[in-house]
Amino acid sequence: MTVVNLMVGGPAKEIPLDIVLKHQHELWIGIDYGATYLLQHGITPAVVAGDFDSTDPQEMEHLKQVVGDVRVLPTAKDVTDTQYGTRLAIQRFHPTQINIYGGTGGRLDQLLANLFMPMQDEFRDYLDRIRLIDRENTVDFYSPGSYSVVKETRMRYLAFVNLTPVRGLNLPDEKYPLVDFNSDIPFSWSSNEFVGKVNHFSFHQGVVAVIQSYDQIHGND
């Protein structure tokens, strides 16, 4: 099993550093300022890439000294830095799992770009292997089928978000069940909750994102 972790340049306050450090010995790719963030916390990425417009000259020089593969991208390009990093992870490492940190929070347009990215043609085969992780959420992506969802530590809330038109979405054993839901527009069944440690869902057309969340403001039961 090859796990590749991407640290992209989102707000540091959204990055779960405790989780990152638990995986520090795995493969890492640093994207834009995410590369400097990794070095600051004792993690040397295998590759770094980005336009580095938020990296000062001293930090850039340090990156070049420490990391063997530094790829400086033009500011004007047809892909986001996160898309480039995900493409790089696939082409170089052929991973079984891609975890993306620093890809949420801050600008909404960048969040939406990351949320919709797994549905693009070049990433579609990896859709179920891409995960977004921040301090309060994990996001997984699913193609049609029947699935079990295992409750993560701390997480209480569970959302089922159809990112495309969806047919036949069933939530049989969540706190708020759903039977044979169809929609022609994106829709978020938010603030559902686990019943027990494992819940299930199924659907037969579309793409569904499943979000497990921790409410840091109000806490969890």
Side-chain angles (χ1 to χ4, degrees):
M1 181 174 180
T2 302
V3 177
V4 176
N5 302 286
L6 266 67
M7 181 64 71
V8 302
K13 66 180 182 180
E14 300 294 337
I15 297 171
L17 182 59
D18 57 333
I19 296 175
V20 169
L21 293 178
K22 287 179 182 179
H23 298 277
Q24 61 184 313
H25 299 300
E26 296 175 352
L27 279 169
W28 285 87
I29 295 176
I31 300 298
D32 206 67
Y33 198 76
T36 295
Y37 181 90
L38 289 174
L39 291 184
Q40 289 173 343
H41 292 90
I43 300 172
T44 301
V47 190
V48 301
D51 56 27
F52 299 106
D53 56 353
S54 55
T55 303
D56 68 38
Q58 285 186 323
E59 291 169 335
M60 193 67 215
E61 184 60 31
H62 184 52
L63 282 174
K64 291 178 178 179
Q65 290 175 357
V66 174
V67 181
D69 190 346
V70 178
R71 306 186 183 197
V72 180
L73 308 178
T75 302
K77 52 189 179 295
D78 293 332
V79 296
T80 67
D81 286 344
T82 304
Q83 290 168 342
Y84 181 89
T86 304
R87 178 190 295 169
L88 181 61
I90 292 170
Q91 293 176 345
R92 179 162 175 177
F93 299 108
H94 308 289
T96 51
Q97 178 70 32
I98 301 172
N99 298 321
I100 301 175
Y101 299 86
T104 63
R107 287 171 47 184
L108 285 178
D109 61 330
Q110 293 181 339
L111 169 61
L112 290 172
N114 294 337
L115 189 63
F116 295 146
M117 179 184 68
M119 294 184 294
Q120 296 172 8
D121 287 344
E122 68 174 304
F123 304 120
R124 194 62 181 260
D125 289 344
Y126 276 80
L127 182 142
D128 62 349
R129 288 178 267 180
I130 294 173
R131 166 176 271 205
L132 304 178
I133 304 171
D134 66 24
R135 288 177 61 86
E136 297 187 32
N137 308 277
T138 60
V139 185
D140 294 290
F141 301 88
Y142 293 86
S143 298
S146 298
Y147 300 98
S148 300
V149 182
V150 179
K151 184 179 183 297
E152 298 175 32
T153 304
R154 292 198 321 152
M155 301 304 191
R156 169 181 174 181
Y157 295 103
L158 190 57
F160 297 86
V161 183
N162 59 285
L163 299 173
T164 68
V166 72
R167 294 290 181 270
L169 177 60
N170 288 282
L171 312 179
D173 52 8
E174 284 72 20
K175 183 175 181 179
Y176 306 108
L178 188 66
V179 178
D180 201 25
F181 171 72
N182 301 318
S183 178
D184 292 324
I185 62 171
F187 195 89
S188 176
W189 289 100
S190 62
S191 295
N192 212 323
E193 297 182 33
F194 281 92
V195 175
K197 296 296 184 182
V198 181
N199 281 166
H200 303 83
F201 75 102
S202 64
F203 63 107
H204 56 74
Q205 181 179 322
V207 174
V208 172
V210 175
I211 305 174
Q212 296 194 40
S213 298
Y214 169 79
D215 191 332
Q216 189 173 14
I217 296 176
H218 298 102
N220 290 337
D221 291 342

